[in-house]
Amino acid sequence: DSSGYLERNYVFSGGSDRSDCKNFKGGEVNCVFGEINLDLSEAQLAEGTHALEINTVFGGAVVTVPADWNIEVKRHEVFGRFSDRRPLAGFEVNENKKLVLVVTSVFGGGEIRCK
């Protein structure tokens, strides 16, 4: 999407999605009794701080990002778990670009990983 925003809703379904957006600004992903595998490894984060909201209710989300993205994960979990599987060291991040993942997991979960 030329706007840089992503919006996906999966209810009793699932899928895989890949973005190579050159100006990614976040968005919203909802999985209710469904799941998504979101590959952002070819996307480029826009300047500034942006948010990607991920909500899983009896569902799941796997988000793959470039290793050099500056990401903060804010979790709200009720009988769910969202894990950060990225390496903790070895990559230089751009401090002028930041993605805040706001994750709510209710009987669901997921993970963020690097490619």
Side-chain angles (χ1 to χ4, degrees), residues 13-80:
S13 66
S16 294
D17 203 346
R18 183 173 169 264
S19 176
D20 60 357
C21 180
K22 302 303 178 207
N23 195 33
F24 187 74
K25 297 178 183 174
E28 184 176 357
V29 175
N30 298 299
C31 299
V32 180
F33 290 98
E35 63 184 22
I36 184 172
N37 187 346
L38 179 59
D39 185 352
L40 300 174
S41 63
E42 299 297 320
Q44 295 176 10
L45 195 55
E47 289 284 331
T49 300
H50 305 283
L52 176 60
E53 184 178 332
I54 300 173
N55 301 300
T56 61
V57 179
F58 291 98
V62 175
V63 182
T64 305
V65 298
D68 62 347
W69 277 20
N70 181 10
I71 298 179
E72 177 184 348
V73 181
K74 295 183 178 182
R75 297 177 184 95
H76 310 281
E77 301 165 332
V78 178
F79 296 109

Side-chain angles (χ1 to χ4, degrees), residues 53-113:
E53 184 178 332
I54 300 173
N55 301 300
T56 61
V57 179
F58 291 98
V62 175
V63 182
T64 305
V65 298
D68 62 347
W69 277 20
N70 181 10
I71 298 179
E72 177 184 348
V73 181
K74 295 183 178 182
R75 297 177 184 95
H76 310 281
E77 301 165 332
V78 178
F79 296 109
R81 178 75 178 143
F82 192 86
S83 302
D84 189 345
R85 303 247 185 242
R86 297 174 299 145
L88 297 177
F91 297 100
E92 201 170 309
V93 297
N94 184 340
E95 296 295 330
N96 296 323
K97 298 178 181 183
K98 184 176 188 176
L99 181 65
V100 179
L101 286 180
V102 181
V103 181
T104 302
S105 300
V106 180
F107 290 100
E111 65 183 41
I112 181 172
R113 57 173 81 151

